[in-house]
Amino acid sequence: MGSQTPQTQTFRWKEFEAVEPLFAEVVRERFLLYKHHVLATLRADGSPRVTGLEVEIRGGELWLGMMPNSRKAYDLRRDPRFAVQANPGPDAEMADGDVRISGRAVEVVDPGELARYADEVHPPEPFLLFRAELTEVVHTGLDKETEEIVLRAWRPGSALRTIRRGGGMEPPREIA
C-alpha cells in the first residue's frame, strides 16, 4: 500500500485501480481527452499557483512531468501537495464531467526510472518527473435524465461515495 502520515493516507495509481477499477477507467479516459491539464501547487507564502502541464498514466503510476527550474517544480519540492484537474474542454457543456485528483508528488531521481520514462514518453529534454501519490479522486457530472449533479469521490481506505444534488432547495443525498 501507499504511504501514510498522521493526516493523510496515500495510494499510488495502481492501488487506486485495484480497489476501484471502473472509476479509475472513467478518470483515465477523462484525462486522455486532452493533452494539457491544470496543476495547482502551493507557493512559498502558501498562496496557490495554477499552471498547465501534461499528465501521463502508465505503468501503474500517475506521472507529472515538467521542465527544470519551473516554478511548479520548486513548489512541489518544497511542499509536495498538489491538485490536478483534467482539461475541462473547449466549451461550457463538459459532457464528460469534471475530474480532479489531489495528492502528494514524489520526485523521481533514479536514473534508470527516468530513462525508462523518457524511452516510453519522449518528453522534451531535460525534464523533471514526479510520481503522484493520491489522496482524493473526484468526478463531477450531470445526470441529464434527472437533471442532478452527480459527484463521485474516492479516498484511500474508503469506499467510493456518490452524492446527488438537484437544482432546488432539497439537500444533497448520498447513494449507497
Side-chain angles (χ1 to χ4, degrees):
M1 244 199 275
S3 64
Q4 185 171 357
T5 64
Q7 304 86 12
T8 308
Q9 183 179 9
T10 63
F11 270 30
R12 291 165 77 160
W13 181 267
K14 61 187 166 195
E15 295 167 319
F16 166 52
E17 239 175 0
V19 297
E20 289 295 342
L22 297 176
F23 187 47
E25 187 57 28
V26 167
V27 172
R28 176 193 295 274
E29 290 299 318
R30 187 63 187 75
F31 272 100
L32 288 174
L33 286 176
Y34 299 97
K35 183 175 184 170
H36 296 100
H37 305 286
V38 180
L39 177 71
T41 58
L42 295 170
R43 298 172 191 251
D45 67 2
S47 63
R49 182 189 315 275
V50 179
T51 55
L53 89 160
E54 296 176 26
V55 172
E56 289 284 336
I57 301 173
R58 60 177 58 239
E61 303 289 359
L62 187 146
W63 303 103
L64 308 173
M66 56 201 72
M67 295 176 3
N69 300 318
S70 66
R71 303 311 304 168
K72 58 191 159 203
Y74 288 131
D75 290 347
L76 291 173
R77 283 175 167 165
R78 185 186 54 265
D79 186 329
R81 294 176 293 170
F82 74 90
V84 63
Q85 180 179 13
N87 185 322
D91 55 36
E93 189 176 311
M94 290 184 63
D96 297 297
D98 178 53
V99 170
R100 181 185 78 243
I101 296 173
S102 300
R104 296 182 182 281
V106 177
E107 187 171 3
V108 176
V109 295
D110 176 78
E113 196 169 5
L114 290 167
R116 280 189 297 280
Y117 182 86
D119 286 345
E120 289 180 23
V121 178
H122 309 290
E125 302 265 356
F127 69 97
L128 295 178
L129 184 63
F130 292 83
R131 184 187 73 243
E133 294 185 348
L134 315 179
T135 57
E136 183 179 54
V137 180
V138 177
H139 177 273
T140 305
L142 180 64
D143 181 331
K144 291 180 182 178
E145 201 172 293
T146 63
E147 295 185 357
E148 292 179 306
I149 292 174
V150 180
L151 180 134
R152 293 187 293 166
W154 171 86
R155 290 185 177 175
S158 299
L160 179 64
R161 297 177 61 203
T162 301
I163 300 166
R164 299 181 75 91
R165 186 176 71 223
M169 297 301 293
E170 70 277 355
R173 63 190 195 288
E174 188 161 348
I175 307 300

